């Protein structure tokens, strides 16, 4: 075979292996990022109303519809001058919360939650996050009133799980915390009554539950209609101030800030 024939054969081989001009080159399978279901960022100047339905309570059962100088949630600045949603109640008051995804959570869906906050006070009994049941928390259906919480006990951040109606909240994990310190919490909650689970990250690191000795807590996470709530509930013995910098909720980890999950 002549050298010219060898060159022509080589050229045809190269051309046949190259993509045809105008045809797209197949890309890797990348899941598109969806908009979060809830997306609050104080640094953008977001109104805390983006978080959902306002829940205020002075004495038990006294639930004003509007904020006051003693009981409020508003866009403000923390002690350093950093923009934050300021959750505040005076001594004797019970609640300043936002109820997110009011009645919109669905069984079988996995929710990814990011929550960045700092506290001025650490009263025992203060709940800063509730995964609150609204459908079967009664004597007949026997669903847990609050399946999951983040709360304060003896200067520790505590994660609890309640299994059924009128059962006390069982501590699953604890961590010493300080006032005027920012914490980033990531949560994954599979909203199922049978085979549900929860996972937790603190400052980007996965936590191991004291009860399961693993990073997964399984159980009934959705008795009937459990929704997320953020803010301050309890701690009536003192004035309470919580600063919240960011909250997101998505149905994929890709929907929310990856740094909360160590990515």
């Amino acid at each position: 075979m002549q050298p010219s024939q060898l060159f022509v054969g080589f050229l045809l081989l190269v051309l046949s292996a190259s993509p045809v001009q105008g045809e797209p080159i197949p890309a890797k399978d990348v899941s598109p990022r969806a908009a979060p279901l809830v997306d609050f960022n104080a640094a953008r100047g977001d109104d805390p109303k983006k978080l959902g339905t306002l829940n205020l309570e002075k004495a038990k059962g006294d639930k004003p519809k509007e904020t006051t100088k003693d009981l409020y949630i508003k866009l403000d600045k923390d002690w350093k001058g950093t923009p934050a949603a300021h959750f505040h109640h005076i001594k004797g008051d019970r609640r300043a919360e936002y109820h997110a995804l009011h009645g919109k959570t669905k069984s079988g869906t996995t929710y990814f939650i990011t929550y960045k906050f700092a506290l001025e006070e650490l009263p025992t009994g203060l709940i800063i996050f509730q995964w609150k049941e609204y459908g079967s928390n009664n004597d007949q259906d026997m669903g847990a009133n609050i399946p999951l919480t983040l709360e304060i006990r003896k200067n520790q951040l505590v994660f609890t799980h309640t299994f059924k109606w009128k059962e006390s909240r069982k501590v699953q994990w604890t961590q010493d915390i300080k006032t005027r310190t920012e914490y980033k919490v990531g949560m994954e909650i599979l909203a199922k009554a049978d085979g549900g689970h929860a996972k937790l990250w603190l400052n980007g690191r996965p936590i191991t539950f004291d009860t399961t000795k693993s990073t997964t807590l399984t159980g009934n996470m959705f008795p009937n209609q459990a929704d997320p709530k953020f803010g301050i509930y309890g701690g009536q013995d003192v004035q309470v101030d919580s600063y919240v910098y960011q909250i997101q909720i998505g149905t994929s980890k890709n929907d929310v800030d990856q740094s909360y999950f160590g990515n």
Side-chain angles (χ1 to χ4, degrees):
M1 183 177 292
Q2 298 297 318
S4 60
Q5 291 175 309
L6 287 171
F7 176 75
V8 171
F10 174 75
L11 184 60
L12 289 173
L13 180 63
V14 171
L15 290 173
S16 65
S18 301
V20 177
Q21 186 174 5
E23 289 185 359
I25 298 174
K28 293 181 180 179
D29 182 18
V30 178
S31 299
R33 178 172 179 170
L37 302 175
V38 173
D39 189 11
F40 169 79
N41 190 329
R44 290 193 304 242
D46 290 347
D47 191 324
K49 291 178 181 178
K50 291 185 68 174
L51 292 170
T53 303
L54 181 66
N55 287 176
L56 300 172
E57 189 172 14
K58 294 182 178 180
K60 188 173 182 178
D62 182 1
K63 300 179 179 180
K65 299 297 183 183
E66 301 293 335
T67 61
T68 70
K69 64 181 179 62
D70 294 327
L71 181 63
Y72 59 78
I73 306 169
K74 65 180 181 180
L75 186 62
D76 202 352
K77 293 183 179 179
D78 69 5
W79 67 97
K80 307 186 304 295
T82 303
H86 186 182
F87 293 69
H88 170 87
H89 76 56
I90 61 169
K91 180 178 179 180
D93 286 350
R94 301 183 77 232
R95 184 195 312 268
E97 294 180 300
Y98 267 110
H99 179 171
L101 301 180
H102 195 161
K104 296 179 180 179
T105 52
K106 297 179 181 179
S107 178
T109 300
T110 302
Y111 294 94
F112 295 87
I113 299 171
T114 66
Y115 186 16
K116 184 178 180 182
F117 64 89
L119 294 164
E120 286 273 14
E121 301 84 17
L122 300 174
T124 291
L126 176 67
I127 297 175
I128 60 172
F129 169 80
Q130 300 187 65
W131 185 253
K132 174 75 167 66
E133 173 62 27
Y134 286 94
S136 63
N137 52 340
N138 55 65
D139 287 320
Q140 182 177 352
D141 297 318
M142 299 298 290
N145 185 38
I146 313 176
L148 299 169
T149 72
L150 274 172
E151 58 185 88
I152 306 302
R153 297 189 187 183
K154 298 180 179 179
N155 295 319
Q156 291 186 317
L157 182 63
V158 175
F159 191 75
T160 75
H161 180 217
T162 307
F163 296 86
K164 60 184 180 180
W165 177 245
K166 287 188 175 180
E167 188 174 68
S168 62
R169 299 192 298 276
K170 297 292 192 298
V171 174
Q172 308 295 321
W173 167 84
T174 63
Q175 171 69 46
D176 291 341
I177 64 169
K178 299 177 181 179
T179 59
R180 292 194 168 190
T181 303
E182 295 177 12
Y183 294 96
K184 293 173 64 174
V185 173
M187 288 178 273
E188 174 185 325
I189 301 173
L190 173 56
K192 293 178 68 176
D194 184 14
H197 73 240
K199 298 181 181 181
L200 188 67
W201 288 257
L202 181 65
N203 295 332
R205 296 183 178 182
I207 68 96
T208 297
F209 292 105
D210 299 329
T211 50
T212 66
K213 307 304 179 184
S214 75
T215 57
T216 303
L217 174 68
T218 59
N220 185 346
M221 305 300 170
F222 201 80
N224 181 270
Q225 182 62 58
D227 296 344
K229 300 184 75 176
F230 303 88
I232 50 176
Y233 173 44
Q236 300 97 299
D237 293 340
V238 297
Q239 173 179 303
V240 178
D241 296 272
S242 174
Y243 297 100
V244 174
Y245 307 94
Q246 184 178 35
I247 291 174
Q248 294 177 307
I249 305 174
T251 55
S252 167
K253 199 180 289 186
N254 291 331
D255 299 347
V256 298
D257 188 336
Q258 296 290 294
S259 67
Y260 285 77
F261 304 95
N263 297 329

